[in-house]
Structure formats: structure tokens, C-alpha cells
Amino acid sequence: MLAAALLAGAGTMSAEAAKGSFEAGKGKFLLNGEKFVVKAAELHYPRIPRPYWKHRIELCKALGMNTVCLYVFWNAHEPRPDAYDFTGQNDLREFVKLCDAEGMKVILRPGPYVCAEWEMGGLPWWLLKKKDISLRDDDPYFIERVDKFQKAVAEQVGDLTIASGGPIIMVQVENEYGAYGTDKPYVATIRDMLRRNFGNEVTLFQCDWASNFLNNGLDDLIWTMNFGTGANIDEQFAKLKEVRPESPLMCSEFWSGWFDKWGANHETRRADDMIAGIDEMLSKDISFSLYMTHGGTNWGHWAGANSPGFAPDVTSYDYDAPISESGQTTEKYWALRRTLAKYYEGKKLPKVPAAIKPMAIAPFTFSEYAPLWENLPEAKHDTELRTMEDYDQGFGSIVYGTTLPQLEAGATLTIDEAHDFAQVFVDGNYVGKLDRRNGERELTLPQCKSGARLDILVEAMGRINFGRAIKDYKGIVGKVTITTERDGYEWSASPTHWEVRNLEDRYDTYTAMNYRPIAEAQVVDGRLPRGCYRAHFTVKKPQDTFLNFATWGKGLVYVNGHAMGRIWEIGPQQTLYMPGCWLRKGDNEIVVLDVVGPREARCEGLKEPLLDQLLVKKRATHREPGQTLNLAGEQPIIEAELQPGNGWQTVKWGRAVRGRYVCIEAVDAIDGGDEASIAEMYFIDERGKRLSREPWTVTYADSENTDGVNRSADKTFDLQESTYWQTAVGVPYPHAIVIDLGSTRSLTGFECLPRMETGAPGAVKRVRIYVKGEAFAM
Ligand code: GLA
């Protein structure tokens, strides 16, 4: 390392001289021996159309950034075992070389797990075919596959590290492992793999949260912190400074905005908070990566889903970032550029490249359709219910068909569980839907004749990318039961024969269908039939546009064979970004699969995206009209006073108390105001361990701010320290939330994290905790 630095410092012009070094010095990073503050722009190459890569890198450079930070999505590169793809959108090497050509350094984050609101956090779905696999763990099969993949990555870019004269200054080991578990041996396995592949000189780091980085922190790696806009920065680095006073400081993910989920409000974060954070970090020589500087798009079926619960992400990954999804500069961009200009060593910032102008496309109607039920693939016969993965299917929809016994009206069909959006039909007639987002598992069946046909159409959305639930199988993952009353007794049965049809999400699947003129399509209950729709539209001069799907139901879109992404009428996203580089002068083809059926089969190109049109909301609040929690006569198990400031706080009651329903009553606020806010909370069991929050639900919250934002009480256990429960403006104390733990548990303590901003706005002072076996009276 030292030799390389000296050589570079000497300014020799030989090929050797291009080699450099990057390392952690005392309190700072050293690039070729000189102090270097990393100003990184997070960009994900598969999320940006390849012809626009250079434009987006130039936009980042013109902001005053000196580095590009990127994830490598394993599942995009290895769609089938050993079938590696590093071409086209996946050409990692080309992207890294483009960064280099622009004089940008690169931070490589090859996972294997990346989170990133990407399908299964970047892990390939086919790993799930091995049912007993343990993901992100020293499981021999998992490690064998990770090792192969990491070697493939190194074959692409292993010679582009700074020690070999390339732009890669650092490589990340795993990703926020602390949010998943505690397993230093596994993290060490990944570290060793990276060393074998990238050489011992490579500078490796781990990113985690201030609250948990010590759990998995390896002594020989650099530790960086992730936190969002608005966070109290000194507080975020306090622990690191204490345990490693000489470490350079870096926020490896400073969240510029946030991601959107179907059925929830569009997320934004304030520009001035982001700017203040960047300014403060740079004034203190703290390195950062701005996640995202440009988010781009989750093309096709690549959007992931958040958990606990199931909250699938939308197609746009705009992220309210400084550079919009379509590469436009925003107010945030210009404000950030002004701030970064102050830290550009007195030089002038590079010129901002010209914008790619969006165009409108006049409304056009679809000319053909292929009804879903007439175009299903051959059935496989099975005596057991299996998941999509069992049939070697990764993405798309699956239909499970069977015959029913004679049933009086009112029998219950229980599907426990359908992943992710199931529609039930009896003799071809629609009965209802089960939406996993809402925990729906039961439907009432109509009267059925013996031999009536039951069909369950299950559409898979993105696999969960966060937390322990990433082992997320698709299709029906449990049991199907029919329950009714016979002769005064409860009768239940599960079908023992299934006809299964796999509708793999591929362009060929949809184009191979038999299309008919749209004039033959009948509107039933306001909708055209479920199925595929095709249209041709003419473009004079291809430019970017936003295709409007506001009249469609739910499904997937392909244009000229490019997978554009998912659509869903509930919003908040109504348009899909259509890059001009994928359009053709003259005739263009569009194919839409709509599993619900469009209200009108038409489309148009808009000049602006529609990303904040929420039409149908998942019930976002947890209080019925007129409902009030009645705590009269209830005895709290403890009343405690929390301390001011940021960071976790613990309340213990020194004995095990059993119960299923817990009420947290906030009596007053530290700042004396009306607002109550909690970012995260846990209960401690009798072994001193945190209880799993997977089965939790909120049964009551007296007040929640869901007015254009997503600050409902379930944010207290969404595993995201930067999102929080907040009461609505002007609603006075006391406040209360009630959690159903899912089953009776023994509790010995309560842990709570206030908001991350300086002064912890809305931090609760006095809390009373109540634990009961049965639900609280309302
Ligand atoms: C974490 C992960 C990222 C991303 C962000 C939220 O920091 O490391 O991959 O999921 O959260 O956008």
C-alpha cells in the first residue's frame, strides 16, 4: 500500500504510476497518501437505461461529487444458476469504466445481500428451491453460491481497484447486517471472500446503524454509519468516536428521500434538511454517500417489498432524490450543488449537462386483447399445494384450479397464505380477492354445485427485501381449507387435487397469446376482461415520456420488448417512466398484462410523472370513528420517565409479566408540546432478549399523522429507525397505542427510540405501560 502511494506521489508517468492507494488514516481517509473526503453519489446502473449512464454520472460530477457508490444486484446478474449476465443493462464493468473516464472514484457494494428495495434484497429467487436454505448465513449451499457469484463479479471488475490503477477505492462487506442478526463468523466469511477476490490491499468496510454496528463489527474493517436527512449527526457518530477515536467518519447512506409503497402516500424529505446535513458533515470533514442521488426505476418485476408486514414497493425509485427518476435536475439538485460548491477547493464546478426533454404522446387506444382464461398454459396435475418456486417459476402469476363439493352459500375459503394478490373464481365468476398487504386470508363462497370449479389466480409481487422475512415464497405457501356447517357440525376439508398453470412473467408469455379485436371485449362491472392488451403507437422523434395507466387495474407493462414495470390503480404511482432511448421513430409496440382488468384500455404519454396520486388507501390509521380507549380501572405495570435526547432508552420492571395486549400510554412530552413520536420500540422477554415483532399488529392508536405522510403507529416496529409514529398536529396528550403481540408472551422491559433529529421532536417524557391477556376495552 505504502509503495503504491509513494509511486503515485512521485508523479511517475509509467503504467505503474497510475496505481494508487486508498486507506483509513488517523481521522481521515487517504487517497494516495493525501486527505480525501468521500462525496459519493449513489447510483444503481441496472436502474438507469444504459444509453443514459454517462449523462447521470456527469450530473453527479456537476453536483461536486467525487465518487459513485453502487450496489451489484446478484439476481439481475445470475437469473438462473451459473447463467451469468454482465451485458447490456448489467454491464458492471462498462459502468465502472465510465465513472473512471469521468474522473469519479467508485465504491463497490457487491452484497451478496443489498436490501435496496430490490427483489429479495438482490438474492436470486432460485436459492429458495432448496427449502432448508438459511440465507445470509454460513449455510454451505448459500456460501457456495455466493462464492461463485463473487468470483464472477471479480472477473468483471477485480482489476479495476485503485491498487491496480482503477477507480474502485472501497468494497463493502455484506449490508446492514445488524438489521438482520448477529453473526460475526458469517460476515467474516464474506470479508475473506472479498479479500481472496480483490486482493489483500483492498479497503473493506461495513455499513450499519449507530445503534447496532458493534454487533457485527469486525476489528479489521472500517465501520461507517447509515442515517437519513434530519438526523442528529454528532449523535450518529458518538458511539463510533468512543470505541474508535481515530476512525475516519463516513455516513455510507445519507438518505435524500425515501421509497414509495403501493397504497401509501408518496414519500418526500425536505431539501433544506438534506442540505443542512451535508453542509454539517462537510464542515466536519465527514465523508458521505448520498442515497439516492439518482434513484432511477425498478424495471419489470424487480421492485422489492418491505417488512414486517408486506408492503410492496412501486416501480419508480425516484426516491425524491436530487436527480429525478427521469434524470431531471430538481430544486434539491441546485440547492445541493450550491452547497457542494463551497467544498470544491475553490475550483469551478463542472458544467451541468443538458437535460433530456420529455415529450407528450397523444392518447391512443388498444386494438387487441387476449383474455387470460383462454390463454393459460397447459396444466400440471398435483396432489399437493406447492409454491411457484417448486414449479421452477420465479416471477409472474400462477393459477391453482380444483373442483368443489356441494356447498351451501356461506362456506368459508381460507388461504393461508397467498403471496401476494389472490383472486378467487367459482365456475369462472369472480368471488373476491385476498390482498397480502392487508393480511386477508378468508373469503365467503357462494352456493356451489358438486363439481363446481374453483380457480385461485395468484399474482406475485416483489419478494421481501428487508428483515428476517426475505425467505419469501410465492404462490400459495400454506394450506387451502373450506369450512362449512354440516348437520349442525363444523365440517372442513382441503382439496387433494390441483391443476396448476404457471404464467411466467416474460415478454414471450404475453406475445404468444391469441389476440382478438378489442371490439369483442365485454365490460363487466365496469371492467374489461383480465388478460393481455396490445397497441401500436407512432413516435416522430423519440424522447422521454411518462405513460399514463390511470385507467388500468393491476399488472405489468412491456414496450418494444422492454419490461417497464408494475402498475396498480391504487397508486400513488400512476405513470411509468418511458425513456426515449427505448422508443423507436415510427411504430412502437406496447403490451399490458392486467390481472384485474382495465376500466378503459387506453394510454397516453405525459410530460410529467404522476407519482403521488393515491386512489385507494390501505386503512392507514388504527382508530374506528368514535372509538376511545378506556383505561379506567387498569393498573399500569410501570410508570417511567424517559430521558431527553436521541438514542435508545430502556425501561425495566424487574419481573416477568404475561400478556398479549400492550398499551403504551404517553402522558406528556419532554418539550411540553402536543406531539408524541416514537421511531422504534421493542419488548424484552424473560431472557433479556428482544421479542420478535413479526406477528405484531396495532389495534389502537389515539392519533396518527397520515395527512400526506406515512406516520402511523405501525412505524414503531417497521425496523426503520428513520421512519416514525407521530400524532396529528394539535391533538393534545395523553396519547396511547395498543399492540397485539400475536400470542401471550412474558415481558420484562420496554425499549424505545425517539426520532433521530436533534432534540428528538415529540419525545415522550412519562410513559405508562399496561399488559393484559385480553383486548383493552374501547
Ligand atoms: C438501508 C439499505 C439500503 C436501502 C435503504 C432505504 O440503508 O442499506 O439498501 O434499503 O435502507 O432506502
Side-chain angles (χ1 to χ4, degrees):
M1 191 82 93
L2 192 62
L6 284 178
L7 265 178
T12 323
M13 293 302 287
S14 69
E16 271 294 286
K19 295 185 175 177
S21 68
F22 184 85
E23 63 203 310
K26 272 193 181 174
K28 54 187 171 221
F29 288 114
L30 299 173
L31 176 68
N32 300 327
E34 302 280 331
K35 176 180 126 184
F36 186 76
V37 177
V38 179
K39 293 174 244 174
E42 182 96 19
L43 296 183
H44 301 150
Y45 54 100
R47 285 181 154 139
I48 306 168
R50 178 173 172 149
Y52 296 164
W53 283 355
K54 189 163 181 287
H55 178 249
R56 307 303 199 250
I57 297 167
E58 282 172 352
L59 278 170
C60 296
K61 189 176 163 185
L63 265 177
M65 301 284 196
N66 55 25
T67 304
V68 167
C69 184
L70 58 93
Y71 277 131
V72 183
F73 300 136
W74 178 5
N75 49 14
H77 290 293
E78 198 180 351
R80 290 270 164 189
D82 301 311
Y84 293 105
D85 179 3
F86 287 95
T87 63
Q89 283 294 116
N90 288 336
D91 197 339
L92 166 64
R93 183 174 180 83
E94 182 59 25
F95 188 80
V96 173
K97 289 184 90 172
L98 271 177
C99 295
D100 197 21
E102 292 295 333
M104 301 286 267
K105 300 293 172 217
V106 170
I107 296 176
L108 190 74
R109 310 207 286 161
Y113 164 84
V114 296
C115 194
E117 291 69 71
W118 189 261
E119 151 87 17
M120 211 171 149
L123 304 180
W125 68 269
W126 45 260
L127 291 172
L128 301 180
K129 292 193 340 176
K130 190 164 183 305
K131 286 272 151 110
D132 60 352
I133 193 168
S134 189
L135 303 168
R136 301 180 74 193
D137 184 343
D138 271 333
D139 171 298
Y141 176 64
F142 182 71
I143 294 298
E144 177 196 319
R145 296 310 321 187
V146 174
D147 194 36
K148 282 190 158 187
F149 171 64
Q150 292 296 343
K151 280 199 186 105
V153 172
E155 270 169 29
Q156 295 295 317
V157 293
D159 62 339
L160 297 180
T161 60
I162 188 148
S164 311
I168 300 174
I169 51 174
M170 287 209 278
V171 178
Q172 184 180 299
V173 179
E174 249 282 347
N175 190 77
E176 288 192 342
Y177 200 80
Y180 188 71
T182 303
D183 191 348
K184 284 191 186 178
Y186 162 70
V187 180
T189 305
I190 304 296
R191 173 201 62 195
D192 296 345
M193 236 180 236
L194 293 174
R195 287 232 170 97
R196 279 199 301 278
N197 292 333
F198 288 92
N200 281 330
E201 314 94 318
V202 72
T203 296
L204 297 179
F205 73 107
Q206 282 172 282
C207 79
D208 254 306
W209 302 341
S211 58
N212 62 20
F213 70 97
L214 287 173
N215 296 356
N216 296 290
L218 301 185
D219 289 344
D220 55 349
L221 300 185
I222 293 170
W223 297 337
T224 62
M225 303 296 132
N226 291 351
F227 53 85
T229 282
N232 177 345
I233 289 162
D234 285 341
E235 171 72 25
Q236 290 294 319
F237 289 109
K239 190 83 202 161
L240 178 63
K241 279 187 177 162
E242 192 187 307
V243 294
R244 281 191 178 174
E246 296 198 332
S247 171
L249 304 184
M250 174 162 182
C251 173
S252 34
E253 284 185 27
F254 186 60
W255 302 312
S256 62
W258 204 242
F259 51 94
D260 283 347
K261 285 140 295 212
W262 291 113
N265 284 311
H266 175 54
E267 297 273 2
T268 56
R269 295 290 183 273
R270 292 169 60 99
D272 49 357
D273 284 345
M274 183 193 83
I275 306 294
I278 298 268
D279 205 3
E280 182 181 339
M281 286 195 277
L282 288 179
S283 71
K284 295 175 176 170
D285 278 347
I286 298 175
S287 292
F288 68 85
S289 176
L290 186 65
Y291 188 107
M292 297 298 296
T293 299
H294 169 50
T297 310
N298 298 313
W299 311 112
H301 49 231
W302 289 117
N306 210 32
S307 153
F310 179 70
D313 300 313
V314 304
T315 301
S316 169
Y317 202 57
D318 179 85
Y319 213 82
D320 195 28
I323 304 167
S324 79
E325 178 183 13
S326 62
Q328 301 295 320
T329 55
T330 62
E331 270 178 44
K332 245 186 200 174
Y333 180 91
W334 295 103
L336 177 60
R337 190 166 183 267
R338 283 193 293 279
T339 302
L340 291 178
K342 297 197 294 183
Y343 300 94
Y344 209 62
E345 288 145 16
K347 291 182 290 178
K348 238 180 111 198
L349 287 174
K351 238 180 104 216
V352 177
I356 299 171
K357 279 229 170 68
M359 62 170 178
I361 298 176
F364 57 91
T365 50
F366 282 63
S367 50
E368 301 170 282
Y369 82 115
L372 187 73
W373 297 115
E374 289 173 24
N375 283 284
L376 289 174
E378 274 296 290
K380 299 181 179 81
H381 294 264
D382 214 329
T383 50
E384 258 178 63
L385 261 181
R386 293 178 211 272
T387 68
M388 267 190 183
E389 292 79 3
D390 291 323
Y391 298 108
D392 203 26
Q393 182 184 358
F395 305 96
S397 294
I398 181 166
V399 181
Y400 298 88
T402 190
T403 45
L404 291 170
Q406 187 185 337
L407 294 170
E408 293 302 321
T412 303
L413 173 75
T414 309
I415 307 179
D416 198 10
E417 290 183 334
H419 291 178
D420 301 296
F421 188 81
Q423 297 178 80
V424 175
F425 304 82
V426 172
D427 287 332
N429 299 315
Y430 176 71
V431 176
K433 53 109 186 134
L434 298 175
D435 183 347
R436 182 182 176 197
R437 293 177 317 129
N438 304 334
E440 293 164 0
R441 293 191 176 87
E442 282 182 9
L443 277 178
T444 304
L445 292 175
Q447 185 183 29
C448 301
K449 283 202 248 70
S450 169
R453 189 165 176 83
L454 172 73
D455 283 299
I456 307 167
L457 164 64
V458 187
E459 189 210 26
M461 303 206 61
R463 290 187 178 78
I464 290 174
N465 60 266
F466 189 54
R468 300 299 308 187
I470 52 174
K471 202 171 168 186
D472 185 15
Y473 288 88
K474 296 301 182 187
I476 297 180
V477 301
K479 281 205 318 198
V480 170
T481 324
I482 295 150
T483 316
T484 188
E485 211 184 271
R486 283 204 171 151
D487 308 324
Y489 291 97
E490 188 179 280
W491 175 94
S492 77
S494 293
T496 53
H497 173 255
W498 293 97
E499 283 172 24
V500 179
R501 294 165 206 270
N502 306 90
L503 204 69
E504 180 81 47
D505 174 39
R506 286 181 18 202
Y507 177 60
D508 313 354
T509 310
Y510 309 131
T511 47
M513 292 185 174
N514 292 316
Y515 284 80
R516 302 201 215 153
I518 194 95
E520 293 176 20
Q522 305 265 317
V523 176
V524 177
D525 291 335
R527 288 188 190 273
L528 287 158
R530 293 169 180 80
C532 281
Y533 290 76
R534 187 157 57 190
H536 289 266
F537 59 97
T538 310
V539 171
K540 277 202 195 120
K541 187 172 158 255
Q543 278 169 259
D544 287 5
T545 190
F546 301 92
L547 296 175
N548 186 3
F549 292 95
T551 63
W552 293 76
K554 184 178 198 314
L556 286 145
V557 176
Y558 283 79
V559 176
N560 297 331
H562 290 276
M564 306 309 303
R566 293 194 174 92
I567 52 169
W568 196 353
E569 60 194 346
I570 61 173
Q573 176 172 11
Q574 299 292 347
T575 54
L576 289 184
Y577 170 44
M578 180 70 237
C581 59
W582 291 345
L583 288 173
R584 295 191 285 246
K585 186 169 184 283
D587 182 58
N588 291 271
E589 182 212 49
I590 178 166
V591 174
V592 183
L593 166 73
D594 195 325
V595 295
V596 164
R599 279 172 280 112
E600 279 176 73
R602 63 179 175 85
C603 193
E604 65 189 325
L606 303 180
K607 283 190 178 168
E608 298 279 338
L610 301 175
L611 297 180
D612 58 357
Q613 316 275 308
L614 186 62
L615 291 193
V616 184
K617 245 196 217 179
K618 183 178 162 208
R619 194 177 143 237
T621 53
H622 302 87
R623 184 178 184 178
E624 303 294 343
Q627 193 182 36
T628 304
L629 177 70
N630 181 2
L631 290 174
E634 303 288 355
Q635 274 303 314
I637 54 165
I638 194 162
E639 172 165 332
E641 192 163 316
L642 301 174
Q643 298 308 305
N646 305 104
W648 282 93
Q649 308 211 17
T650 307
V651 174
K652 288 195 172 148
W653 39 88
R655 69 200 152 97
V657 178
R658 282 176 72 73
R660 172 169 173 167
Y661 298 89
V662 186
C663 170
I664 296 112
E665 186 189 18
V667 183
D668 49 14
I670 299 236
D671 62 11
D674 285 337
E675 174 186 338
S677 283
I678 295 178
E680 287 292 298
M681 61 187 202
Y682 282 94
F683 292 106
I684 312 293
D685 69 11
E686 67 272 51
R687 295 165 306 150
K689 297 254 185 284
R690 287 173 165 182
L691 282 186
S692 162
R693 304 181 299 180
E694 289 291 330
W696 289 17
T697 47
V698 178
T699 57
Y700 176 86
D702 76 301
S703 172
E704 292 157 291
N705 185 4
T706 54
D707 187 12
V709 292
N710 300 305
R711 295 181 188 154
S712 46
D714 49 337
K715 298 289 173 284
T716 57
F717 54 92
D718 70 347
L719 203 60
Q720 299 283 3
E721 296 188 354
S722 67
T723 59
Y724 48 89
W725 166 52
Q726 180 189 50
T727 51
V729 181
V731 180
Y733 273 85
H735 293 296
I737 54 181
V738 177
I739 307 286
D740 175 358
L741 303 176
S743 61
T744 302
R745 308 301 303 257
S746 285
L747 312 179
T748 61
F750 170 66
E751 288 184 341
C752 149
L753 181 73
R755 283 174 59 177
M756 286 181 145
E757 292 89 337
T758 306
V764 176
K765 190 170 166 194
R766 275 180 301 157
V767 282
R768 293 190 193 121
I769 295 175
Y770 304 79
V771 179
K772 285 186 68 167
E774 71 276 12
F776 283 84
M778 304 277 173

